[in-house]
Amino acid sequence: MGSHPENLPSPTTPAGREGLDAVLARPDRAVVALDFDGTLADIVPDPEQARAHPGTVEALAALAPKVAAIAVITGRPAGVAVRYGGFAGVPGLEHLVVLGHYGAERWDAVTGTVHAPAPHPGVTAVRAELPGVLHEFGAWHGTWIEEKGQAVAVHTRRAQDPQAAFETLRGPLGELAARHGLIVEPGRLVLELRPPGMDKGVALAGFVAELDAESVIYAGDDLGDLAAFAAVEKLRSEGPDGIPGLLVCSGSAEVPELAERADLSVPGPAAVVDFLAALADRL
């Protein structure tokens, strides 16, 4: 095992320590992948007000030239994540890619352009029916619909009883999504209706393969990040040819499932930024 400086926290699992050591040994063959909301940006009542935590861009700009690539993998549209993150036109971030809508969209810092598929027709149909469904189940007051282009999300964080509203809507929104060929992605007091076929695990595995990476770090905070955790676990379990990886949980009492599978847990976006800055310093 390698030695880690005091300001670079050490993973609590052997697999995590192996993953971090592999990154430290050959950073130019490492991919660092990160969720956005709850990982690089604090969770806020209004998702449109979310912004990258102070210091995020500086830490990423210090780290990006030293690794094969940094990928921000988010359920948000790629362009929105770029704007809220302040990632465009930053010197040092040429190795940054934003995979939006769980990988369906892609923004490359080198070109500054977004590549996106045509919208799924089911999203248009669901968007029209959502207000009626919320009214029918008595969940209109306090809920909030977020337009995401390739998807639409219902937030319950502002409801009088956020968790009760969330549970009330899971079934009806699942049925609505299924009628129009969509799936529901549950998150921290949010239910997102989106096209099937992509998730953060598929996006991460594809990006790692594209770069022929030899190690990977993934940091996330929510249920949607479980697929990425599973992808890293699969990569590092593939025998002698497996890819070492480190799983980081941006701590949240709301999603214990993620913390239980993490190699390293840190208390939120501020600590994630500190970790990225310490990793850049170490490299």
Side-chain angles (χ1 to χ4, degrees):
M1 297 296 175
S3 60
H4 308 143
E6 290 184 1
N7 64 341
L8 184 60
S10 183
T12 59
T13 66
R17 290 191 290 272
E18 181 182 355
L20 180 56
D21 286 334
V23 172
L24 296 175
R26 293 204 64 184
D28 61 315
R29 302 302 302 277
V31 165
V32 177
L34 308 148
D35 170 48
F36 186 74
D37 291 280
T39 303
L40 294 179
D42 291 302
I43 298 294
V44 294
D46 183 353
E48 292 185 356
Q49 301 303 314
R51 297 294 183 271
H53 194 276
T56 296
V57 171
E58 291 81 358
L60 292 177
L63 180 60
K66 301 175 181 179
V67 297
I70 293 178
V72 175
I73 306 179
T74 175
R76 288 185 181 273
V80 171
V82 171
R83 188 165 71 253
Y84 291 1
F87 302 140
V90 177
L93 284 187
E94 290 79 11
H95 288 188
L96 176 71
V97 169
V98 175
L99 302 176
H101 283 303
Y102 303 90
E105 293 185 350
R106 176 167 174 157
W107 175 88
D108 287 272
V110 173
T111 63
T113 57
V114 174
H115 298 278
H120 190 290
V123 175
T124 301
V126 160
R127 185 179 291 116
E129 293 183 34
L130 255 181
V133 172
L134 296 180
H135 180 76
E136 178 184 353
F137 287 89
W140 181 257
H141 184 70
T143 57
W144 186 78
I145 298 173
E146 180 185 6
E147 296 291 347
K148 303 182 75 171
Q150 301 279 344
V152 61
V154 177
H155 295 261
T156 67
R157 191 171 294 273
R158 299 176 186 170
Q160 184 174 3
D161 187 336
Q163 191 62 43
F166 178 88
E167 296 300 336
T168 295
L169 289 172
R170 286 191 77 155
L173 293 189
E175 294 172 5
L176 174 62
R179 287 203 304 272
H180 297 290
L182 305 180
I183 61 171
V184 172
E185 183 79 41
R188 292 166 64 178
L189 300 177
V190 59
L191 295 159
E192 180 172 324
L193 292 77
R194 65 178 181 84
M198 286 298 294
D199 61 35
K200 292 185 179 182
V202 173
L204 178 59
F207 191 67
V208 169
E210 175 188 329
L211 271 66
D212 194 23
E214 294 182 357
S215 62
V216 58
I217 294 174
Y218 185 81
D221 78 303
D222 207 345
L223 292 171
D225 297 304
L226 287 171
F229 270 38
V232 173
E233 291 165 346
K234 183 174 186 296
L235 287 170
R236 62 189 186 184
S237 72
E238 294 175 343
D241 297 323
I243 295 174
L246 170 64
L247 295 171
V248 180
C249 176
S250 178
S252 170
E254 293 180 19
V255 192
E257 301 97 317
L258 208 68
E260 290 167 1
R261 290 171 63 173
D263 306 303
L264 174 65
S265 290
V266 297
V272 172
V273 172
D274 288 343
F275 171 77
L276 297 171
L279 181 60
D281 287 345
R282 176 65 175 84
L283 297 178

